C-alpha cells in the first residue's frame, strides 16, 4: 500500500515538473525562433524510454485517443477566435486548398515516396495522404501574435481547420485498399461527400444550440460557462463520428458559430479555452514525443528518407498544390508563395501515422518514423521562418484591430451588465470627442480610461485620444449599440491610412 502511494506521488511530481518545464519552454521558443511544438516533442523524447527513461509509453491506441481529444480542444479554441467577417471573403479559396490542394500534395509526395522508400504504390499514396494536410494546432500556434495580413491569416486558419476531413478520408481509404480485398470506390467517394456535408450540418446545428444555451441558461457560477461550451465541442465531435461524418470539421464549425455569436460570458470562455488549448498542445506533443523511439527515428536511413520527402513536400508539392488550387483567385504571387511556405505540418500527420499501426499495415513503423521526421523538418524549417518570410514579402500589416473584450463582473453577474474593454485607434470616429458629446445609451457609462499606462478618471470634458483603452459598464441589451458606436470608422482617416499602405 505504501509503495503504491509513493509511486503515485512520484508520478504526480513528474507531471508537475513536465508541465512547468513545458511552459517555460514556450518562453524560449520565441527567442530561439523554433515552434513550441518541436520543443514539447523534445521534452517527451527526453523523458521517454530512449531518453532518461522516466516514462515508458508505447501504446498506439492511447496515443491516438489523447491526440484526437487534444485536437478537439485546439480546434475548438482556434475556431472561437476565428472571425467570420475575416474568413468569409476567403472561404472558397480556403476550401480549394483544403480539398484540391490536399489531393495534389498527396499525389506529388506519393510519387516521391514510391522511389525514396522503395514501397508499393498504395503504401506510397498512404504516406502522401498522411502528410497531405496542414495542421491546425501548428498553424494556430505559429500565427498567434504574428502580424500577418488578416486575409492571409484567415486563409491559413480556414484551410487548416477544414482540410483534416480530406486527409483522414484519404488515409482511411488507402488503408482499406491495403487491408480489404474488394473496395467499393464509388462508395468511398460518396462517403467523403457525406462526411463533409454532415460534418458541416452537425457543426452549424450544435453551434447555434450552444450559443442559444450559453446565453439563455443562467448557471450559478460564471466558471461553469467555459466547461458548458467545451461540452458542446465534444458533443459535436461525437455526434458527427456516430453519423460517420467528419468530427474535426464539425468541431471547427461549431467553434466558429459560437465565437461569432454574442455571448454573455465571452471573456471567461475565451480565456479558459486559451489556457486549456495550451494544455492540450503540451499534453499531445509530449505524448507523441514519448511514443516515438528516437533510436529508430534518428538513424541515417530514416533521416535521409524523411529529409528527402520533406524537401519534396516543402519545395515542390506544397507550392505546386497552392499555385494550382488558388489559380483564378485574387492572390498575388507573393501571397501564394507565402501561403505555400506557411503550410505547416504538425500533430495531425503524426496522429494519422498511427492509423497504419493500428491496422497492422506492413511497413507501418517505417511510415511512422519517416512521417515523424518529415513533420519535425517542416516545423523547424517553415515554422521558424514564417515571420521573416512575411516581412521580406511585405505581407505584414499594422495593428488595425481593436477587439472589444467583455469583462464579466461576477459580483453583479445577475444584473445582466458587462464591463467592455475597447482599444481606441486613430481611425475610430470617437477620437477627439468629449465624453459628454458621445451618444452612449442611457445604461452605458465609461468608468475608466487607461492612457500611456496611467488611469484617468473620466468626466464630461475628457477627450478621447488614439491609444486610449476604455472601460465601459453597459447593460447587455445595449451592448450591440455601444459596439456599433465604438467601432465606427472615420472615413477620412481610413482613406489616409489606405494611401499610406499603398
Amino acid at each position: 500500500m505504501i509503495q503504491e502511494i509513493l509511486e503515485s506521488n512520484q508520478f504526480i511530481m513528474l507531471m508537475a515538473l513536465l508541465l512547468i518545464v513545458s511552459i517555460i519552454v514556450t518562453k524560449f521558443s520565441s527567442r530561439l525562433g523554433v515552434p513550441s511544438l518541436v520543443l514539447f516533442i523534445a521534452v517527451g523524447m527526453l523523458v521517454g524510454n530512449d531518453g532518461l527513461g522516466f516514462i515508458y509509453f508505447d501504446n498506439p491506441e492511447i496515443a491516438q485517443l489523447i491526440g484526437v481529444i487534444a485536437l478537439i480542444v485546439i480546434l475548438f479554441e482556434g475556431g472561437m477566435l476565428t472571425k467570420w467577417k475575416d474568413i468569409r471573403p476567403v472561404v472558397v479559396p480556403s476550401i480549394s486548398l483544403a480539398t484540391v490542394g490536399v489531393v495534389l500534395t498527396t499525389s506529388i509526395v506519393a510519387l516521391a515516396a514510391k522511389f525514396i522508400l522503395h514501397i508499393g504504390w498504395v503504401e506510397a499514396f498512404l504516406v502522401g495522404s498522411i502528410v497531405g494536410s496542414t495542421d491546425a494546432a501548428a498553424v494556430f500556434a505559429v500565427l498567434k501574435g504574428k502580424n500577418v495580413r488578416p486575409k492571409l491569416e484567415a486563409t491559413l486558419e480556414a484551410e487548416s481547420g477544414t482540410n483534416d476531413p480530406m486527409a483522414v478520408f484519404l488515409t482511411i481509404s488507402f488503408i482499406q485498399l491495403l487491408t480489404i480485398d474488394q473496395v467499393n470506390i464509388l462508395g468511398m467517394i460518396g462517403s467523403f461527400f457525406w462526411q463533409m456535408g454532415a460534418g458541416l450540418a452537425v457543426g452549424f446545428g450544435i453551434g447555434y444550440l450552444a450559443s442559444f444555451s450559453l446565453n439563455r441558461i443562467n448557471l450559478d457560477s460564471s466558471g461553469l460557462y467555459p466547461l458548458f461550451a467545451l461540452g458542446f465541442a465534444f458533443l459535436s465531435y461525437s455526434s458527427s463520428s456516430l453519423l460517420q461524418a467528419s468530427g474535426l470539421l464539425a468541431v471547427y464549425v461549431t467553434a466558429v458559430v459560437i465565437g461569432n455569436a454574442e455571448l454573455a460570458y465571452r471573456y471567461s470562455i475565451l480565456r479558459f479555452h486559451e489556457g486549456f488549448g495550451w494544455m492540450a498542445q503540451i499534453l499531445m506533443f509530449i505524448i507523441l514525443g514519448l511514443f516515438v523511439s528516437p533510436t529508430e527515428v534518428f538513424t541515417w536511413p530514416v533521416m535521409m528518407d524523411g529529409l528527402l520527402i520533406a524537401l519534396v513536400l516543402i519545395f515542390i508539392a506544397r507550392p505546386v498544390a497552392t499555385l494550382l488550387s488558388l489559380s483564378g483567385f485574387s492572390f498575388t504571387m507573393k501571397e501564394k508563395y507565402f501561403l505555400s511556405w506557411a503550410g505547416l505540418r504538425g500533430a495531425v500527420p503524426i496522429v494519422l501515422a498511427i492509423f497504419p499501426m493500428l491496422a497492422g499495415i506492413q511497413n507501418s513503423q517505417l511510415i511512422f518514423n519517416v512521417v515523424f521526421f518529415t513533420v519535425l523538418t517542416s516545423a523547424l524549417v517553415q515554422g521558424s521562418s514564417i515571420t521573416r518570410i512575411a516581412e521580406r514579402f511585405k505581407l505584414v500589416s499594422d495593428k488595425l484591430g481593436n477587439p472589444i473584450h467583455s469583462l464579466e463582473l461576477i459580483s453583479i453577474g445577475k444584473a445582466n451588465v458587462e464591463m467592455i474593454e475597447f482599444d481606441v485607434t486613430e481611425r475610430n470616429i470617437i477620437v477627439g470627442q468629449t465624453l459628454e458629446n458621445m451618444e452612449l445609451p442611457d445604461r452605458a457609462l465609461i468608468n475608466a480610461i487607461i492612457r500611456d499606462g496611467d488611469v484617468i478618471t473620466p468626466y464630461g470634458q475628457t477627450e478621447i485620444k488614439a491609444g486610449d483603452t476604455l472601460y465601459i459598464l453597459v447593460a447587455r441589451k445595449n451592448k450591440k449599440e455601444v459596439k456599433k458606436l465604438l467601432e465606427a470608422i472615420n472615413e477620412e482617416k481610413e482613406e489616409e491610412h489606405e494611401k499610406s499602405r499603398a
Side-chain angles (χ1 to χ4, degrees):
M1 177 69 177
I2 300 297
Q3 183 63 31
E4 284 78 3
I5 294 175
L6 289 175
E7 289 178 356
S8 63
N9 290 337
Q10 291 172 357
F11 180 77
I12 293 173
M13 172 67 76
L14 180 59
M15 292 299 100
L17 292 175
L18 281 177
L19 179 60
I20 292 171
V21 169
S22 299
I23 292 174
I24 294 174
V25 155
T26 62
K27 184 69 176 178
F28 291 99
S29 66
S30 58
R31 294 183 179 181
L32 297 174
V34 177
S36 56
L37 65 93
V38 176
L39 299 180
F40 295 153
I41 289 175
V43 170
M45 291 191 292
L46 179 64
V47 300
N49 191 51
D50 283 352
L52 299 177
F54 292 153
I55 301 176
Y56 180 80
F57 180 75
D58 64 347
N59 191 314
E61 289 85 359
I62 295 178
Q64 182 199 23
L65 176 62
I66 293 176
V68 170
I69 292 175
L71 285 173
I72 292 172
V73 175
I74 294 166
L75 268 176
F76 190 66
E77 190 257 342
M80 284 196 297
L81 295 176
T82 301
K83 301 300 181 184
W84 174 244
K85 66 179 181 180
D86 293 332
I87 66 171
R88 181 171 54 190
V90 296
V91 165
V92 177
S94 297
I95 293 177
S96 179
L97 280 171
T99 52
V100 177
V102 171
V103 172
L104 291 173
T105 303
T106 297
S107 302
I108 296 172
V109 173
L111 182 63
K114 165 64 179 175
F115 298 101
I116 293 173
L117 301 179
H118 306 290
I119 54 180
W121 278 111
V122 179
E123 290 175 319
F125 272 93
L126 177 59
V127 173
S129 63
I130 289 173
V131 299
S133 68
T134 59
D135 179 58
V139 170
F140 291 150
V142 171
L143 291 181
K144 187 175 293 185
K146 303 297 188 296
N147 205 16
V148 179
R149 285 185 184 175
K151 174 185 177 182
L152 301 179
E153 185 174 353
T155 302
L156 288 169
E157 290 183 353
E159 177 202 4
S160 63
T162 56
N163 66 6
D164 292 333
M166 177 61 82
V168 172
F169 165 74
L170 292 174
T171 299
I172 293 177
S173 297
F174 289 119
I175 288 176
Q176 289 178 344
L177 289 174
L178 287 169
T179 56
I180 301 176
D181 294 333
Q182 293 182 346
V183 178
N184 186 345
I185 303 297
L186 292 178
M188 291 169 58
I189 295 173
S191 173
F192 168 73
F193 286 104
W194 167 256
Q195 289 181 39
M196 293 288 286
L200 284 170
V202 171
F204 277 113
I206 294 184
Y208 285 115
L209 174 63
S211 302
F212 178 83
S213 302
L214 287 166
N215 284 322
R216 292 301 181 93
I217 298 179
N218 192 7
L219 301 176
D220 294 333
S221 171
S222 61
L224 293 174
Y225 286 93
L227 296 175
F228 196 29
L230 184 63
F232 284 105
F234 287 105
L235 177 64
S236 181
Y237 179 86
S238 57
S239 300
S240 298
S241 299
L242 290 174
L243 293 173
Q244 302 298 315
S246 174
L248 294 178
L249 177 62
V251 169
Y252 182 71
V253 173
T254 296
V256 172
V257 173
I258 295 175
N260 286 272
E262 287 292 334
L263 298 180
Y265 289 88
R266 171 182 294 276
Y267 187 80
S268 296
I269 293 171
L270 293 181
R271 293 288 73 79
F272 171 85
H273 284 95
E274 181 182 13
F276 200 48
W278 274 109
M279 186 72 180
Q281 284 192 54
I282 292 171
L283 175 63
M284 176 175 61
F285 289 118
I286 287 180
I287 289 295
L288 294 177
L290 288 171
F291 182 72
V292 73
S293 298
T295 55
E296 295 181 5
V297 172
F298 297 105
T299 61
W300 281 112
V302 172
M303 288 194 297
M304 289 303 298
D305 291 343
L307 179 60
L308 289 174
I309 291 178
L311 292 175
V312 172
L313 173 64
I314 296 171
F315 293 103
I316 300 176
R318 173 68 179 180
V320 170
T322 302
L323 292 175
L324 293 178
S325 300
L326 296 181
S327 60
F329 294 106
S330 58
F331 290 91
T332 65
M333 288 304 297
K334 285 185 178 181
E335 290 175 334
K336 291 178 181 178
Y337 288 142
F338 176 77
L339 291 172
S340 168
W341 189 257
L344 296 176
R345 269 60 187 175
V348 170
I350 298 177
V351 172
L352 290 180
I354 299 175
F355 284 27
M357 290 183 173
L358 298 176
I361 301 295
Q362 187 179 7
N363 296 321
S364 60
Q365 188 63 55
L366 170 65
I367 292 173
F368 178 85
N369 292 338
V370 169
V371 167
F372 186 87
F373 192 83
T374 300
V375 169
L376 281 184
T377 305
S378 169
L380 284 170
V381 174
Q382 297 171 277
S384 60
S385 57
I386 282 182
T387 302
R388 292 195 297 273
I389 295 295
E391 291 173 351
R392 186 178 182 85
F393 287 168
K394 298 181 179 180
L395 298 176
V396 294
S397 60
D398 299 330
K399 286 290 185 182
L400 303 178
N402 47 353
I404 295 179
H405 301 296
S406 297
L407 309 180
E408 291 83 24
L409 306 180
I410 298 174
S411 61
I412 55 175
K414 305 297 183 181
N416 291 320
V417 294
E418 296 180 14
M419 184 72 79
I420 288 178
E421 175 189 348
F422 181 74
D423 297 324
V424 182
T425 71
E426 61 182 10
R427 300 163 57 221
N428 292 118
I429 201 168
I430 62 174
V431 172
Q433 294 185 16
T434 59
L435 298 190
E436 63 183 6
N437 292 331
M438 290 181 63
E439 298 179 358
L440 287 172
D442 292 336
R443 297 192 64 187
L445 178 65
I446 297 179
N447 290 79
I449 299 175
I450 306 297
R451 180 177 296 164
D452 298 326
D454 297 324
V455 179
I456 296 177
T457 302
Y459 60 96
Q461 296 300 317
T462 302
E463 182 179 319
I464 303 298
K465 296 183 179 181
D468 287 352
T469 299
L470 310 180
Y471 289 89
I472 307 170
L473 188 66
V474 59
R476 286 180 188 154
K477 66 178 182 179
N478 299 120
K479 186 176 177 181
K480 287 185 178 180
E481 185 180 351
V482 172
K483 285 181 63 177
K484 184 177 180 180
L485 171 65
L486 295 175
E487 293 176 336
I489 298 298
N490 187 317
E491 297 297 335
E492 293 182 2
K493 293 287 186 181
E494 178 71 7
E495 291 179 5
E496 291 177 5
H497 179 78
E498 292 298 330
K499 290 179 180 178
S500 65
R501 290 184 62 186

